[in-house]
Amino acid sequence: MKVAVGNDHRGLSVKLRVVGLLTELGHEVHDLGATGPTGVDYPDYAIPVAEEVSTGKADRGVLICATGHGMCIAANKVCGIRAVNCRDVIDAELSRRHNDSNIVCVAADLLGEDQIERMIRAWLVTEFEGGRHTRRREKVTAYEKTHERPA
């Protein structure tokens, strides 16, 4: 799987561990994140990751900032993105099973690295259930298509 990863300055150390995990699991990693501790703006990293996922250059994305909130908000502005901000493994699994999430956002300042690793592992292997959830996902997709703003 191709996984795009992005982070701001607060998520740098967690990103390094996440990239290592993804590589260890055999995934192709596109590291689009900040590389140093100097303060940066999360949209500058969330949007490129979301665009890679939206256009199919990456299958999924992982975004990391202090709380996960800013990254999640920014990523969800990109058409076709279903970004979620998860706090535990059950959250991550359900976001895949029921919502077909394609980007997971994690909080570098609020979650331990082991918790983040377990969440990402679960999120990567959990499949979308389909069924009634497909109908719901398609309603969101239809709304996006009919409400797109011209570039």
Side-chain angles (χ1 to χ4, degrees), residues 65-108:
C65 67
T67 64
H69 297 317
M71 290 287 198
C72 193
I73 290 167
N76 277 315
K77 299 300 180 189
V78 176
C79 191
I81 294 305
R82 295 175 303 280
V84 293
N85 190 9
C86 295
R87 294 286 188 248
D88 58 39
V89 172
I90 294 169
D91 219 9
E93 287 177 0
L94 289 175
S95 80
R96 286 287 309 135
R97 276 195 231 150
H98 295 180
N99 308 109
D100 198 18
S101 61
N102 51 15
I103 294 180
V104 65
C105 303
V106 296

Side-chain angles (χ1 to χ4, degrees), residues 48-60:
V49 167
E51 287 178 343
E52 281 219 352
V53 174
S54 179
T55 61
K57 290 180 184 172
D59 301 302
R60 301 226 194 127

Side-chain angles (χ1 to χ4, degrees), residues 12 22 43 105 122 133 137:
L12 179 59
L22 293 169
C105 303
H133 305 295
R137 183 191 63 195

Side-chain angles (χ1 to χ4, degrees), residues 5-149:
V5 178
N7 60 285
D8 66 4
H9 56 287
R10 299 284 289 274
L12 179 59
S13 65
V14 172
K15 186 259 310 248
L16 297 174
R17 186 164 173 175
V18 167
V19 167
L21 170 67
L22 293 169
T23 302
E24 175 187 312
L25 294 173
H27 300 290
E28 179 182 321
V29 178
H30 302 176
D31 183 352
L32 304 175
T35 57
T38 304
V40 296
D41 299 330
Y42 62 82
D44 296 340
Y45 300 93
I47 292 170
V49 167
E51 287 178 343
E52 281 219 352
V53 174
S54 179
T55 61
K57 290 180 184 172
D59 301 302
R60 301 226 194 127
V62 177
L63 292 170
I64 308 151
C65 67
T67 64
H69 297 317
M71 290 287 198
C72 193
I73 290 167
N76 277 315
K77 299 300 180 189
V78 176
C79 191
I81 294 305
R82 295 175 303 280
V84 293
N85 190 9
C86 295
R87 294 286 188 248
D88 58 39
V89 172
I90 294 169
D91 219 9
E93 287 177 0
L94 289 175
S95 80
R96 286 287 309 135
R97 276 195 231 150
H98 295 180
N99 308 109
D100 198 18
S101 61
N102 51 15
I103 294 180
V104 65
C105 303
V106 296
D109 289 0
L110 304 175
L111 302 171
E113 288 186 356
D114 290 338
Q115 175 77 353
I116 291 170
E117 184 175 314
R118 287 191 306 273
M119 246 175 23
I120 290 174
R121 283 178 182 271
W123 184 78
L124 287 168
V125 299
T126 302
E127 296 293 328
F128 178 54
E129 281 182 6
R132 70 186 187 277
H133 305 295
T134 299
R135 180 181 72 246
R136 295 165 184 164
R137 183 191 63 195
E138 287 173 355
K139 286 182 179 185
V140 172
T141 301
Y143 179 87
E144 279 182 326
K145 287 181 181 175
T146 60
H147 290 80
E148 279 185 304
R149 295 187 179 129

